[in-house]
Amino acid sequence: MQPNPAAAPYQNLRLNSRVLPLEVGMYIVRYASQFPEGQEICITLQQAPLGKGSVDFFPAEGVSRNTLVKLGDCVVIRVKGDTGALLVTEYHMAARQEREVNLRIDRIDTSEALLELDRRSAAAAAPARPMPAAAPAASRLQAAPSPLAPAPMPARVPTASDGASPIRLEFEGHIERRGDVRVEGGWLGNPDGTARLEGFIVHWPEKPQGVDLAYSCRVQGQGKQPAALSGRYAGTRRQALGITAVTFGLVGPQQKLYRLAGQAVFSGYPPQDVLNGQEVSSPSGHEHLVALKLSVSPKSEANAPRYQSPWEDPAITKIYKAQG
């Protein structure tokens, strides 16, 4: 069979795709890298066939078919109804030198925090009041209080010195030969046993505004599942399939104010520490999950920033490695 000449330019083209969960809200996706002319790396955005929400795209001028090519290209995304899923695909030539493409995804803050930001901006722009001349001591004692109210203090984050304790989490899971179980704190499953923990849900009843927990798992014979948010099921039920790896990460505009900790136990191995945004598995990568425990607590910084991008966490932001 003769080769197809039309396909020749694409023989070295490689695609790399990833699905990102998005909560209801508005986001801006920006191409934040710059390459020599003719060596740009293309990234396309589409709605993935996952999640229950709908995803709408509003490309900026010069952006065609939701494809980001050069520095400054951007698309505004609106997620409605329920959690949606974004399919991100990069196109690069296998023969070119490896490069990094920085794709920034930021949530557009439409909460009441905008009012506080406006008040601070107005206070900063107001002219400074001149200090009155010094008065005699007796007059100062009788002076009326200033009619100006004190400037609003920035929101303070609970600290360890305040006695802040881990925020309550509840867990449901499907365990081999036991069926569905529910626990509050502690271990979900038996860290000293071998029964498979085949699926789980993390409930966050008192979840603070602006933060959530995302998690995903690798299932034997099925591969890695899409990420789920708190209150949603990950894994399988009654299929006799084990989980070989798990990933947990905090997401949302306030995720930098909280700390995630925990451990996962895989059959025959000691507990492995859960690190924010990093996949955890047994050393061999083949043993199944038998137990899991997690905690979320406020960080100790007393004056953390008011707003942080929900995509600055390495669990969510991806630096796309491409050939260029």
Side-chain angles (χ1 to χ4, degrees):
M1 178 182 295
Q2 294 295 329
N4 183 3
Y10 306 104
Q11 288 180 352
N12 292 327
L13 184 65
R14 293 198 295 113
L15 308 182
N16 184 19
S17 298
R18 185 183 181 191
V19 175
L20 299 176
L22 297 178
E23 296 179 291
V24 173
M26 300 289 291
Y27 302 85
I28 182 169
V29 183
R30 292 173 287 178
Y31 196 102
S33 293
Q34 189 169 26
F35 302 109
E37 185 176 356
Q39 300 183 24
E40 297 90 348
I41 311 303
C42 300
I43 296 178
T44 62
L45 309 174
Q46 298 172 280
Q47 180 174 2
L50 303 168
K52 298 180 179 179
S54 63
V55 182
D56 299 324
F57 298 89
F58 304 93
E61 184 177 0
V63 175
S64 177
R65 298 180 181 179
N66 300 330
T67 301
L68 310 180
V69 180
K70 62 183 185 300
L71 178 67
D73 282 355
C74 63
V75 174
V76 173
I77 295 177
R78 178 177 62 192
V79 181
K80 300 184 298 182
D82 203 334
T83 300
L86 178 66
L87 176 62
V88 180
T89 304
E90 56 175 305
Y91 299 77
H92 53 86
M93 303 299 292
R96 291 182 180 175
Q97 180 182 1
E98 182 176 349
R99 290 181 176 177
E100 292 184 348
V101 181
N102 186 4
L103 182 68
R104 290 187 55 87
I105 306 178
D106 298 282
R107 186 163 187 172
I108 301 173
D109 191 355
T110 58
S111 68
E112 295 180 358
L114 290 174
L115 300 177
E116 178 64 23
L117 180 62
D118 185 62
R119 286 193 293 266
R120 294 184 188 181
S121 300
R129 296 190 60 187
M131 294 296 293
S139 299
R140 287 200 303 269
L141 289 175
Q142 298 175 4
S146 170
L148 292 180
M153 296 295 291
R156 188 172 183 276
V157 179
T159 67
S161 60
D162 296 330
S165 57
I167 303 171
R168 181 169 61 97
L169 298 178
E170 298 176 357
F171 306 90
E172 288 184 66
H174 186 81
I175 300 177
E176 178 186 8
R177 297 188 300 272
R178 289 183 57 189
D180 294 335
V181 299
R182 188 182 183 100
V183 298
E184 180 177 336
W187 287 103
L188 174 62
N190 181 6
D192 299 318
T194 60
R196 294 185 301 267
L197 175 55
E198 298 176 354
F200 58 88
I201 307 175
V202 183
H203 296 284
W204 198 341
E206 301 171 3
K207 180 169 61 69
Q209 184 178 5
V211 65
D212 205 345
L213 178 66
Y215 45 88
S216 64
C217 61
R218 290 187 183 274
V219 177
Q220 291 173 335
Q222 294 186 2
K224 189 169 185 177
Q225 294 185 343
L229 297 175
S230 61
R232 299 183 180 274
Y233 193 82
T236 62
R237 280 190 178 95
R238 300 179 183 88
Q239 297 184 30
L241 297 176
I243 294 174
T244 58
V246 290
T247 305
F248 295 90
L250 296 175
V251 297
Q254 300 297 328
Q255 53 96 2
K256 290 286 187 179
L257 307 184
Y258 299 89
R259 178 179 293 106
L260 173 67
Q263 291 184 317
V265 180
F266 295 86
S267 179
Y269 286 93
Q272 310 284 321
D273 288 335
V274 170
L275 301 178
N276 191 45
Q278 298 187 20
E279 187 174 80
V280 184
S281 66
S282 68
S284 71
H286 299 294
E287 280 68 32
H288 58 263
L289 182 70
V290 298
L292 178 69
K293 68 176 179 179
L294 294 170
S295 66
V296 177
S297 57
K299 286 186 177 179
S300 59
E301 289 82 4
N303 293 307
R306 179 193 64 82
Y307 180 83
Q308 293 286 347
S309 166
W311 304 105
E312 289 179 357
D313 189 277
I316 300 303
T317 300
K318 176 160 185 181
I319 304 299
Y320 288 87
K321 296 181 181 293
Q323 305 291 335

